[in-house]
């Protein structure tokens, strides 16, 4: 297997990429410069004195202090990703057999992290189609159920602030109040919120915030996350090894120890700026959802949309697939011809897309592409 | 904090870098091309159908099958690093309170992974200065001690195949025999061996092999590891989520899901070739250790050295620091002036270095640099 056998990737340069996993992870020019410069081995550790998160050159330590403040929390740590941050919290503050409450729109990694930690998983269901909304009051009901069935309150609650399918923005502050009243530690999964929109952990009342930086902090292809906590929990979740007092147990001493760290630091000034433009991101998404609605591509989830990630349902696109010679792959192919990628190949009836970071002209181009396809084939 | 505030890194281009953490992680041109191409978000997942290790485009699945064979094992999985691979094994096959036997030259992450898994740690001591050798027979003694103290055999044994300080190559096959005779699952940490020298897990009798690809598989700055296992253990260690049957629990569904994966795949053909040149790597290291010995910089560890990583002790360099105006930082500074980096700044009496991947001319340059410094200042 040579590089020649492995196609190089060109989607960001040659196409408008509307893949919800990728739009807000796209790197900036300065990020790519930093990644190239730090491409070689364990390079962030050139000046390490034993602890990744205390490195001053490059300024990891100062960056993390700034990030904690940016998120309205007290302390922050680098992790290999958002899922690893969630597992670190659960592994620190629960024991196998404990109960955890999650929401019905959770990412699969919330479930998998809880399962790996040996927890009993209780779920706050969404209100189903077409909204799939999560009512934070459901957490109070779930806590009562856990108490009734197990005799104790759950060891933790996890809320998906914004889910990666419908882009529903849940009232995290209300969930925070319920957790505080019940004394349940509260972990907020911000994989699709922090780095895109402003987050204030203090106002929300989160004990822990997990972030996905390759998804939402413009850090690109090297997987990396952040875990921010309040002072109340820092000693427990960021506890050190009994034998190596600079090594944080839950990240096995050091987590993401290379170019992804410098990529995140290089993108961070832009990320801090861009969250202030959130309303124009939502404006772009609303405009597109309205335009697509006119041709029978209908947004599910809370309406009007409050997020750049949206899930649509379309009978018109599905019907085309029944007669098109490329069958259900026609949509991927026709969009790509028009310079648009990021809808999963094979999907026509239900799919998700994101307009994050696109200019209005690019969003208009996406709308036009769908309109042309409907006009040509329907 | 802007990129302008964050110095770019130039050590691999402008210097002979002898940092043992970095020499065998250095990328090849084709690796850097792949990293640049896949720099944007979650990009290895463009054609994912739910499981990182089954992706065909880029050919992750085929790569992992090849790697398993290359290591003499049955199956392999991508992990975020070697430490994460070790924790995955311990978390899968032990329970808190179990005993694990490790060697005295272990990397700190072996200890930290065992501590995070809640294990009682027993150690096979090295024979101390100057050799710091690990006698595999010590594992039989340690097993007997565990049995006596706890009533059971240990739940696992971990051997550091080659330690990162002295570069001692332990007789892993003999340790494997002892583990098999005692029925103790055997995890081999190959952070400093696989990717540098040939490894045959079948001959060694390893149940699990953990690899560090940013350290020893030319994968550079994105942290990434491999975990290879025998068929006997694959179901247990690679077990799937009960709710998501494509998601492997110990890597929380997917581990290193970005450019580090393509970097590893791009470097792999070169790695497969280079392990065949291991004897010339050892030859370079022996030559350097002999030359340095002539000027009072003396190799510790097993002699003659069997590895590119070596630890030296030097009274002559230490004495210079007592009178030099830069004190103990003179050595770093004088080496850098001569185009050599990678010895930790501030060290003079004891330090480690690696000649991996250097040409003989570069190794001669390193020897000359040390000689000049001793001649000028001693």
């Amino acid at each position: 297997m040579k590089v020649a056998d492995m196609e190089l990737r060109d989607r960001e340069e040659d196409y408008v990429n509307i893949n919800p996993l990728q739009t807000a992870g796209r790197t900036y020019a300065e990020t790519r410069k930093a990644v190239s410069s730090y491409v070689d081995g364990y390079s962030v550790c050139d000046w390490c004195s034993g602890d990744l998160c205390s490195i001053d050159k490059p300024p990891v330590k100062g960056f993390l202090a700034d990030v904690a403040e940016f998120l309205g929390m007290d302390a922050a740590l680098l992790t290999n990703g958002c899922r690893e941050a969630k597992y670190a919290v659960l592994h620190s503050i629960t024991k196998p057999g404990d109960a955890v409450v999650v929401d019905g729109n959770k990412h699969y990694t919330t479930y998998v992290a809880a399962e790996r930690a040996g927890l009993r998983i209780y779920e706050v269901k969404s209100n189903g189609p077409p909204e799939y909304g999560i009512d934070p009051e459901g957490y109070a009901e779930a806590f009562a159920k856990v108490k009734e069935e197990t005799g104790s309150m759950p060891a933790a609650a996890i809320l998906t602030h914004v889910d990666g399918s419908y882009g529903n923005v849940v009232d995290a502050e209300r969930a925070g109040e319920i957790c505080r009243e019940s004394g349940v530690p509260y972990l907020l999964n911000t994989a699709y919120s922090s780095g895109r929109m402003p987050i204030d952990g203090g106002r929300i009342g989160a004990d822990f915030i997990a972030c996905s930086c390759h998804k939402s902090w413009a850090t690109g292809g090297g997987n990396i996350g952040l875990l921010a906590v309040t002072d109340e929990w820092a000693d427990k979740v960021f506890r050190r090894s009994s034998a190596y007092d600079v090594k944080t147990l839950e990240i096995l001493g050091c987590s993401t120890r290379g170019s992804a760290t410098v990529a995140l630091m290089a993108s961070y000034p832009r990320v801090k700026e861009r969250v202030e433009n959130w309303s124009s991101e939502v404006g772009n998404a609303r405009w597109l959802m309205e335009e697509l609605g006119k041709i029978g591509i209908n947004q599910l989830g809370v309406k009007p949309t409050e997020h750049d990630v949206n899930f649509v349902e379309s009978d018109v696109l599905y019907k085309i697939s029944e007669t098109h010679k490329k069958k259900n792959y026609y949509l991927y192919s026709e969009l790509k011809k028009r310079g648009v990628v990021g809808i999963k190949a094979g999907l026509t009836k239900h799919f998700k897309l994101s307009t994050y970071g696109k200019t209005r002209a690019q969003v208009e181009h996406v709308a036009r592409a769908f309109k042309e396809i409907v006009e040509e084939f329907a």
Side-chain angles (χ1 to χ4, degrees), chain A residues 324-343:
Chain A
H324 197 287
K325 66 174 193 281
K326 290 196 172 163
K327 303 206 173 90
N328 54 325
Y329 287 89
Y330 86 92
L331 182 60
Y332 175 82
S333 161
E334 291 294 333
L335 283 171
K336 191 166 183 186
K337 255 192 234 170
R338 290 166 176 83
V340 177
V341 296
I343 306 291

Side-chain angles (χ1 to χ4, degrees), chain A residues 258-277:
Chain A
S259 57
T261 298
V262 295
L264 174 57
M265 292 197 295
S267 290
Y268 181 55
R270 300 270 216 135
V271 167
K272 278 175 89 169
E273 277 170 34
R274 77 187 195 179
V275 299
E276 303 302 330
N277 300 326

